[in-house]
Amino acid sequence: MSAFQQLGLQENLLQAISDMGFETPSEVQEKTIPILLDQETDIVSLAQTGTGKTAAFGFPMLQKINPESRTTQGLILSPTRELCLQITSELKNYGKYVQGLNVVAVYGGASITDQASKIKKGAQIIVATPGRMKDMIGRRMIDISKIEYCVLDEADEMLNMGFYEDITDILSHSPEDKSTWLFSATMPKEVAVIAKKFMHKPIEITVGTRNTGSANVSHEYYLVNARDRYQALKRLADINPEIFSVVFCRTKRDTQKVAEMLIEDGYSAAALHGDLSQNQRDLVMKSFRTRQIRMLVATDVAARGIDVDDITHVINYQLPDEIETYTHRSGRTGRAGKTGISMVIVSKSEQRKIKRIEKIINKEFVKKDVPNGMEICEIQLFHLANKVKNTDVNHEIDVYLPKISEVLEEFTKEELIRKVFSVEFSRFYNYYRKAKDLNVAEGSGGSGADRSPKDSARYFINLGRKDGLEWMDLKDLIREITQLGKDDVFHVDTMNSFSFFNTETAHIDKVMEAFKDVQFNNRKIDIEISTKGRSGGRGRKKEGRGKGFKGKGKRGDDRGGKFRGKGGDDRGGKFKGKSRRKNDRPKEKGTGGRRRRR
Ligand code: ADP
Ligand code: MG
């Protein structure tokens, strides 16, 4: 490992580097900086997010431009406004001892005339998003006919975002003989095309393995039913009391929804997506940077600009449509030498995507179980103990101490600990004690386990282990009653006092009809359709009732068909219609008092 001094950087830049506390250059810096300082060349530099690419092109550019001239000599194109601002501020930092340096950011959503007037004063370096840049060139507010260096930063992202035309247009206003420096985390075909079209014999530098995620990131997945996604998310947050995370959703709508639910449930969360005003986005990012927000729920596009170190977890609430995007998501953690975890909440139908991602990142996922309630309580308890241990005493309390001691006089130390801890513990305990297991067993239910859920219906039945039935027994029983074939009944999951199983939707009528008036050990068998097909079974109740539950009225209509919770275990076999399963369901929401105090 070399030091920055050995890369050929001049004194005023080295001074800034030491001010910033950078000790050793990162690999991409070590490989790129000497080349760019030495030669007038085009370069393609591939390195993961968070590896220090900004400095890799920033320092050479700062050293090579002439700060005494007011001519624009360097142009940096970057995909988003956030990145653009970030690069600008980094460059200003790097160049703080460069006399006369003027770096100007150009991006949409802010006053174009302000930006134009800043440029008019003479900007040696312009950092721009393609859209606004093209606009300003078109209005003759910017002249790039004399630039010597052009950086395409996060080239893959810019192309992803559809900036190809804009980039082509912008570059057509720049001189032929400039040097073009392309930086990218990945090298998809499109980037190769750009390299070919706009560059002359570029030197290629690859740091780490192509397309591979950061070595510091471990990848985990959690297999749950799609409808349990949100509950799983909360548990993952609760089992990690120090979480500082980005939660990725696929759409703006989901992003907003998940953030709202988290906030309602007492988490320090916020949404980041394109429908927010620039002002709102800035506020959110500010709170995230200062850690007031611990769970930033974001769309892929909105998160592009996020450069916050120390993110502990990236949570894929949903997997991205484009598998490649996963690399970008997970690259938000494990930055600057830190370790990070990328978690994926996945339903059975998406599980094969995990394999495809593994191929791309060249790493294996660890399948983990969603923690159960008691595991979470335990973690929270020990977290609290450590927090108490490490808390600095606030001496403002001292004056009240005699009075407080008086109130608590009667308790021993032991009793006091018990009480203090119960305050926090009960909050989680009350919330989680009846919470069900969210994990979906891989291949449970024997045959047909990998059947697509699209065309199958899931049933709830009030028989379980308590009745001496393991899933194989139950499956046999169901087949006996319904006369269905071996493969026609699948995904049989047996709990203590109830179970679930699936059949093709085509068999619904047959199943419901067959179970009509059937008894088991002198007890009426209750069966209902839990979910039907992929849509989560909208309208499922009607069919079920129409056939099998004549006259049972509205029972369960307000349950939304979600038979959550194994609270039913303590029912002692007393099935009293409407009230029962409703009460069983652990109230996952609005338990109150679940505010996170941070
Ligand atoms: P990239 O563009 O590759 O995603 P950045 O240039 O944004 O990465 O750098 C990521 C983080 O690492 C930034 O916070 C930056 O200040 C920091 N950083 C860059 N180079 C070094 C270094 N040599 N030593 C320590 N930190 C560094
Ligand atoms: Mg960068």
Side-chain angles (χ1 to χ4, degrees), residues 48-50 52-54 57 83 86-87 153-154 183 307 335:
Q48 270 312 300
T49 323
K53 293 191 288 294
T54 316
F57 62 74
L83 266 177
Q86 207 172 283
I87 294 167
D153 191 27
E154 307 242 5
F183 286 79
D307 178 17
R335 297 167 71 85

Side-chain angles (χ1 to χ4, degrees), residues 541-560:
K541 283 289 146 37
K542 268 192 199 115
E543 277 187 73
R545 236 176 14 239
K547 297 285 171 190
F549 290 97
K550 276 190 199 111
K552 280 201 180 171
K554 293 203 300 189
R555 181 161 71 75
D557 271 1
D558 48 356
R559 271 183 274 138

Side-chain angles (χ1 to χ4, degrees), residues 72-134:
T72 300
Q73 300 154 60
L75 169 66
I76 297 159
L77 292 177
S78 86
T80 63
R81 171 195 141 113
E82 280 80 10
L83 266 177
C84 174
L85 286 169
Q86 207 172 283
I87 294 167
T88 307
S89 91
E90 289 262 303
L91 287 188
K92 284 182 177 166
N93 242 337
Y94 302 165
K96 67 181 189 181
Y97 299 116
V98 178
Q99 290 292 321
L101 176 69
N102 202 8
V103 185
V104 172
V106 159
Y107 50 86
S111 158
I112 198 165
T113 45
D114 284 359
Q115 290 173 0
S117 79
K118 277 188 191 152
I119 284 164
K120 223 170 165 191
K121 287 183 197 140
Q124 295 93 355
I125 299 176
I126 292 173
V127 188
T129 52
R132 174 58 65 95
M133 187 67 191
K134 183 184 157 196

Side-chain angles (χ1 to χ4, degrees), residues 239-256:
I239 198 85
N240 292 289
E242 294 290 338
I243 199 163
F244 181 52
S245 61
V246 184
V247 178
F248 284 97
C249 295
R250 230 182 335 234
T251 64
K252 291 181 206 169
R253 219 171 129 244
D254 287 345
T255 302
Q256 184 66 30

